Amino acid sequence: MPAPGEGRIDCQVTAGRLHQTVSSAYPLKIISPQAVPNPTEPNTDSKERLLPAVSYILSYGGGIVHGDQIHVDVRSGTGSALMILTQGSTKVYRRRAGRPPSFLKNEKKDTVYDSNQTYQTMLIDVEPQALVCLLPDPVTCFEGALYNQRQAVRLHSTSTSSLVLLDWMTSGRMSRGERWAFSKYLSINVVAILDGLQNKKRQGQNYDSWIGESRIIIRDALLLENTSNEQSPSESSFARRLSSIDAFAYLLVLGPAVSVIADLLRKEHMEQRIKPFRPNNKVPESDEVDVQWSVSDIDECDIKGVAVRIAGPNTENVKAWIKRRLAPLQYIVGDSAWSMYCNA
């Protein structure tokens, strides 16, 4: 039985059929609708086809309450393609002065937590010849929120494990006039190689011990913390510098199953490195004109791919940019799973 705020997703392929097991405890909820693979094309080896699975990570009340600790363990077994989605943005509610932390705080974890902050941790295992696509909606922090997010992925094979990881955020509740009004946003993304520990059980391990067993090849962190003494949230130490930006995104595309996406991103980035001058009075042909992005090539320990950073003045524009570049996933995970992502 999972502890409060804990969840688990396990996908395994046995005898050509995919078996998906999920469990969760309040305030976390995980649902897994059935995803149907595309029909096998003639003259195609069905053994090389990945069977799709989809899981939605939800929270009761539509957000994470101050003091909650969310922890999700994920395993994608050989032959599976797991898409992890959300239904709407992950809302992080504000910290309330004098309010005790949520009574759902999980005391079993041996990691030291600050009870005045909110935490969400995801540990993902990608076995050989498997794919995980972590494609949530953006995180939206309310005024005064203190949020910590950690996403760690272990690749069991440097030559056959694949990953698409999206981590992104908005400036806040813009309709309420809250732009960059939160107190803290920390997001850490780690990708590691599992060296000879495929059969070792890790259920119940915390983030630090889990990562300590692996060889880290990618570590990316983003910290926005208000160090201003001003009372008004609009005068936070980073609000003015981000006045023209409303969405940040970090996208990782790694491994052979999604190499076509990485190649297309490299090619487009190379073509767009020198952009033609556009006068201010000229109407852009596409909303993507205002989306700024860059690509960094990854080639580490036989793991190849790209890391993409995206920023834009509008959340919808950034979302459209991401979905357009990830469109080849439709042919990898199948029409059924892809439609769930597009409609999420």
Side-chain angles (χ1 to χ4, degrees), residues 189-205:
N189 293 290
V190 175
V191 178
I193 301 171
L194 188 61
D195 293 325
L197 299 173
Q198 289 89 334
N199 297 321
K200 183 173 181 179
K201 295 181 65 176
R202 59 160 178 79
Q203 189 171 4
Q205 286 186 314

Side-chain angles (χ1 to χ4, degrees), residues 216-279:
I216 296 175
I217 60 171
I218 297 172
R219 188 194 297 271
D220 181 87
L222 172 63
L223 172 62
L224 294 174
E225 187 169 20
N226 185 12
T227 58
S228 172
N229 294 323
E230 298 287 344
Q231 297 297 320
S232 172
S234 62
E235 297 298 324
S236 66
S237 55
F238 50 81
R240 292 182 180 178
R241 287 175 288 171
L242 299 174
S243 59
S244 62
I245 300 297
D246 274 319
F248 274 126
Y250 176 70
L251 177 65
L252 270 177
V253 181
L254 300 174
V258 290
S259 59
V260 62
I261 300 175
D263 291 340
L264 289 172
L265 284 166
R266 290 190 192 96
K267 180 181 178 181
E268 183 180 1
H269 184 248
M270 183 63 65
E271 294 173 349
Q272 296 295 324
R273 288 180 65 180
I274 302 178
K275 297 182 180 179
F277 173 73
R278 177 170 60 87

Side-chain angles (χ1 to χ4, degrees), residues 16 37 45 49 69 71 163 180-181 198 206 236 239 256 264 295 323 328:
D45 187 355
R49 183 179 62 166
Q69 300 173 12
H71 182 103
L163 170 71
W180 307 113
Q198 289 89 334
N206 64 16
S236 66
L264 289 172
V295 173
K323 285 188 175 181

Side-chain angles (χ1 to χ4, degrees), residues 19 23 37 124 146 188 198 215 263 269 275 299 338-339:
H19 302 273
S23 60
I124 303 173
L146 294 160
I188 301 174
Q198 289 89 334
R215 179 181 177 183
D263 291 340
H269 184 248
K275 297 182 180 179
D299 187 353
W338 176 251
S339 65

Side-chain angles (χ1 to χ4, degrees), residues 13-14 16-18 35 37 46 49-53 79-82 332-333:
V13 176
T14 304
R17 298 186 64 180
L18 185 136
S46 60
R49 183 179 62 166
L50 298 177
L51 298 181
S80 65
L82 173 62
I332 301 170
V333 301

